[in-house]
Amino acid sequence: MYVLSLCLFLVSFVLSNHHLKLLKKKIFFFFFFCSENLSIMSRFALAILSCLLFVSTIVRATDVSYCDNNEEYQVKVHGVDISPDPIVTGQPATFSISANTNNVISRGKLVIEVSYFGWHIHSETHDLCDETSCPVAVGDFLVAHSQVLPGYTPPGKYSLTMKMLDGGRKELTCIKFSFKIGLGSSSSVADM
């Protein structure tokens, strides 16, 4: 029971989604009121399984919107996953963008703009083929970018705008989303 209690205690700090809190309560109820006939090993295995389910929810999808809701973009974005969420400075962070296209994309660029409290603070451009396999075939594809944020990056909520451009600099998509940076390790300082 100590493992379960520790797991539930840790998860309560991580989870903020209302539905996940309800799931946590249901599992808690099961352990303390419905598991009288389970052996100690079965309880332990179920506790470990529950912890793994909770840990898997740490990587959550981020709310994404298009820069222009009236624009008919060639690339449709299904979602953005950020791991870990919130990001920890001085440690690797991965942004994974799942998308779909009706046309082959042979080359292109990702143009990223970051704002903090409404102030533009950072810009970077990446070759699309460094972030996904090129040529991008018709259908679903994933763009993934990992980097270590400097240890001196202030915690808080950031806004990111990402434009995907083809080889002719035509805008294929433009999305906006927010992400959080938590307190991190001050022992590792990396350049962005």
Side-chain angles (χ1 to χ4, degrees), residues 25-154:
K25 287 180 183 178
K26 288 179 182 179
I27 291 174
F28 181 81
F29 176 80
F30 173 78
F31 270 104
F32 288 102
F33 298 106
C34 301
S35 62
E36 294 174 6
N37 296 328
L38 290 177
S39 69
I40 291 175
M41 286 304 284
S42 295
R43 287 182 185 183
F44 181 74
L46 199 51
I48 296 298
L49 178 62
S50 298
C51 285
L52 290 174
L53 287 172
F54 282 127
V55 169
S56 69
T57 62
I58 293 172
V59 177
R60 287 179 268 178
T62 302
D63 290 332
V64 179
S65 63
Y66 288 105
C67 300
D68 182 354
N69 290 329
N70 297 323
E71 181 70 28
E72 195 59 39
Y73 293 111
Q74 181 180 332
V75 172
K76 306 291 185 199
V77 174
H78 302 300
V80 175
D81 290 321
I82 302 170
S83 175
D85 187 8
I87 293 171
V88 178
T89 59
Q91 296 182 12
T94 301
F95 294 80
S96 300
I97 301 164
S98 58
N100 181 286
T101 184
N102 290 326
N103 298 313
V104 173
I105 305 168
S106 57
R107 59 192 174 97
K109 298 279 184 198
L110 298 176
V111 179
I112 298 168
E113 305 286 332
V114 180
S115 300
Y116 184 59
F117 289 109
W119 293 86
H120 179 266
I121 59 164
H122 182 74
S123 297
E124 57 188 57
T125 301
H126 298 275
D127 189 295
L128 177 64
C129 298
D130 290 342
E131 310 300 328
T132 192
S133 298
C134 283
V136 176
V138 172
D140 293 338
F141 67 100
L142 185 72
V143 175
H145 176 72
S146 295
Q147 70 184 66
V148 177
L149 298 179
Y152 56 80
T153 305

